[in-house]
Amino acid sequence: MARHRLYVTMASLLGVGALALSACGTDSQSGGGGGGGTSSTASIQVWEGWTSVEAKTFAKLVSQYEKANPGEKVSTLYVNSDNTLQKVTTAVRGGSPPDIAYLYGSWAPNVATIPQVVDLTQVVKQAGVNWNDFYVGERDVATVNGKVIGIPALVDNLAVVYNKKLFAQAGLQPPSANWTWSDFVADAKKLTDPAKKQYGTAYVTPGTEDTVWHWEALLWEAGGQLLNSGNTKAAFNSAAGLTSLNTLKTLATDKSVYFDPTDQAYENVFNSGKIGMLVTGPWDLSTFPNVKYGVQVMPSYPGTSGGHQTISGPDNWVVFNNGSAKTKAAEKFLLWLTAPAQIKTWSLATGDLPTRASVANTPGFVAKMNQALPGVDTFIANLSNVKQARPQITQYPKVSTALGNMVLSVLLNKSTPQAALAAAEKQVNQDLAGS
């Protein structure tokens, strides 16, 4: 539920606006120390936050690239991904950004304000890149105001992981692909047993973006939107918004929800057999060795235009301008790294979802993925249910704060759904207007 790379905090964005102004006077062609050498060399530096099997796999791919391209050097530096934006902005001020950095997709609007970020719009249109092979949610997050500022590095989505044993004990059939939120609510109630401290479902309640993005999927499925088409005013105070929040209110009223303000405790509670269903992502599957689980797509709201949507949290590889030679070398490496062959290698080795549809559709690929991580096939198929992305605006962190307070006020019975929507709408409109 809480893969940290999927959400952003206000603290991590402090100073970005000032950077955009202070950096405007720099010479973007002058090169920088972060790239490893002068701009006339083909040596590039990549800042990445991989650990464990991901780190080993990335190192192997870099070695493979260098062997296939004699004279080209790709040096890597581990940077905790939570801190990368702050470190990048500091490096840009000092004239020494990396050539490539792994940055959370939720940061894209702020990243786009940095003058040294390379516009990749024409790069992804090159023959053989097949930009449309990346899922729409990834492309939306990599594009800010019509400009491509990154190439997808990782993608996830939300689905429902359920405990098969608890469903059987409650006399419930496993959820089907056409189930509804009414089904979910009813199942959660039947799965709840206060005497056993057993809950039907769980919800993370730190009030962060992790609290928010779980609700946003419900809003979209109910046929609603967060903001208007121009991203100038709130649009969620609607019939769809009310429907989505009423779902959460009913779950809370039924006392069938385990509230987790830590954003982590739910893992152990589910693994101990005390939660029937989780709305979470593929990153959690390996943490449930004690549960015979199944995975199903998100429920839908019948009669609405939303359907079985989900929400995605793509992250990006971003290129910084350290001179034309380094920029070309960085672009060449990234296009190789994100080509189908390398994505297939990456996913099979790490269990991360493929960022390209063509890889997911390769015969036998999904079966191999599922052997190592049962249930991941549903998450791969669920990528086609990612229809839209969160608003690509620099004010989104403030919007998220207002929405987090809204969701919590309903879950914790501090406000009615309608009153919570109205209060959040007022705050979001003020934030968007800059007042």
Side-chain angles (χ1 to χ4, degrees):
M1 230 182 265
R3 194 171 204 177
H4 61 272
R5 66 182 56 154
L6 298 178
Y7 56 89
V8 65
T9 62
M10 283 299 295
S12 63
L13 296 176
L14 292 177
V16 177
L19 169 66
L21 295 176
S22 63
C24 285
T26 63
D27 180 2
S28 62
Q29 298 296 324
S30 63
T38 68
S39 61
S40 61
T41 71
S43 175
I44 59 172
Q45 185 180 70
V46 181
W47 287 7
E48 43 81 16
W50 303 127
T51 59
S52 187
V53 66
E54 290 173 320
K56 294 178 181 178
T57 304
F58 190 69
K60 289 181 180 178
L61 286 172
V62 168
S63 178
Q64 181 182 340
Y65 178 80
E66 290 179 334
K67 288 180 181 178
N69 295 274
E72 297 187 32
K73 175 68 176 175
V74 179
S75 62
T76 63
L77 177 68
Y78 171 81
V79 178
N80 186 312
S81 294
D82 289 342
N83 304 325
T84 307
L85 180 60
Q86 181 181 3
K87 290 183 177 295
V88 162
T89 56
T90 299
V92 167
R93 289 191 186 98
S96 58
D99 299 292
I100 301 170
Y102 179 106
L103 290 162
Y104 294 155
S106 51
W107 286 336
N110 303 83
V111 170
T113 67
I114 303 174
Q116 283 80 0
V117 169
V118 174
D119 183 350
L120 300 173
T121 306
Q122 298 304 315
V123 174
V124 300
K125 292 180 180 179
Q126 292 177 12
V129 174
N130 195 5
W131 180 236
N132 287 340
D133 190 28
F134 292 99
Y135 291 93
V136 64
E138 300 166 23
R139 287 182 275 124
D140 285 351
V141 168
T143 306
V144 180
N145 296 325
K147 182 173 72 173
V148 177
I149 56 92
I151 295 178
L154 180 139
V155 67
D156 287 312
N157 63 77
L158 292 177
V160 179
V161 180
Y162 62 94
N163 185 315
K164 292 183 177 181
K165 180 180 178 180
L166 294 186
F167 263 72
Q169 289 177 346
L172 295 170
Q173 291 295 316
S176 67
N178 62 352
W179 68 327
T180 69
W181 278 106
S182 293
D183 296 330
F184 183 99
V185 170
D187 288 352
K189 189 173 184 178
K190 291 180 180 178
L191 289 162
T192 299
D193 188 341
K196 296 181 180 179
K197 294 184 178 180
Q198 178 178 305
Y199 299 86
T201 188
Y203 205 100
V204 287
T205 55
T208 62
E209 175 63 13
D210 203 24
T211 296
V212 174
W213 80 308
H214 283 77
W215 165 77
E216 287 171 335
L218 274 69
L219 175 72
W220 291 340
E221 288 190 301
Q225 292 293 324
L226 284 168
L227 307 178
N228 64 7
S229 59
N231 291 330
T232 58
K233 287 188 177 181
F236 54 81
N237 186 6
S238 61
L242 188 59
T243 295
S244 60
L245 282 185
N246 274 333
T247 298
L248 300 186
K249 178 178 174 57
T250 302
L251 288 167
T253 301
D254 290 345
K255 300 185 184 303
S256 57
V257 187
Y258 172 79
F259 294 134
D260 181 10
T262 72
D263 224 352
Q264 295 179 332
Y266 72 88
E267 295 179 358
N268 289 333
V269 180
F270 183 83
N271 201 43
S272 64
K274 297 298 184 181
I275 296 176
M277 299 179 287
L278 288 176
V279 177
T280 188
W283 58 86
D284 267 341
L285 296 182
S286 62
T287 67
F288 303 141
N290 301 331
V291 178
K292 186 176 181 181
Y293 62 80
V295 183
Q296 191 52 272
V297 297
M298 300 272 279
S300 67
Y301 291 106
T304 69
S305 60
H308 291 278
Q309 287 196 54
T310 187
I311 187 169
S312 183
D315 296 330
N316 295 316
W317 292 113
V318 178
V319 178
F320 293 86
N321 192 335
N322 284 312
S324 60
K326 287 181 173 294
T327 295
K328 290 179 181 178
E331 292 171 353
K332 179 182 176 182
F333 172 69
L334 277 190
L335 292 182
W336 176 87
L337 181 68
T338 59
Q342 283 64 251
I343 289 176
K344 182 179 180 180
T345 297
W346 176 265
S347 293
L348 290 175
T350 65
D352 290 339
L353 304 187
T355 53
R356 285 181 178 268
S358 63
V359 175
N361 295 330
T362 302
F365 172 81
V366 173
K368 288 183 179 180
M369 290 281 290
N370 219 49
Q371 286 177 0
L373 196 62
V376 75
D377 56 339
T378 300
F379 284 103
I380 294 174
N382 202 34
L383 287 168
S384 64
N385 290 323
V386 179
K387 307 295 185 183
Q388 50 194 313
R390 287 163 282 190
Q392 293 288 75
I393 55 173
T394 56
Q395 304 100 316
Y396 182 76
K398 291 184 177 180
V399 172
S400 177
T401 297
L403 295 176
N405 292 335
M406 176 191 73
V407 172
L408 288 185
S409 70
V410 172
L411 284 172
L412 303 181
N413 198 32
K414 294 182 179 179
S415 178
T416 65
Q418 188 60 73
L421 284 166
E425 177 186 38
K426 180 179 179 181
Q427 182 60 57
V428 167
N429 284 340
Q430 289 177 352
D431 293 335
L432 293 175
S435 57

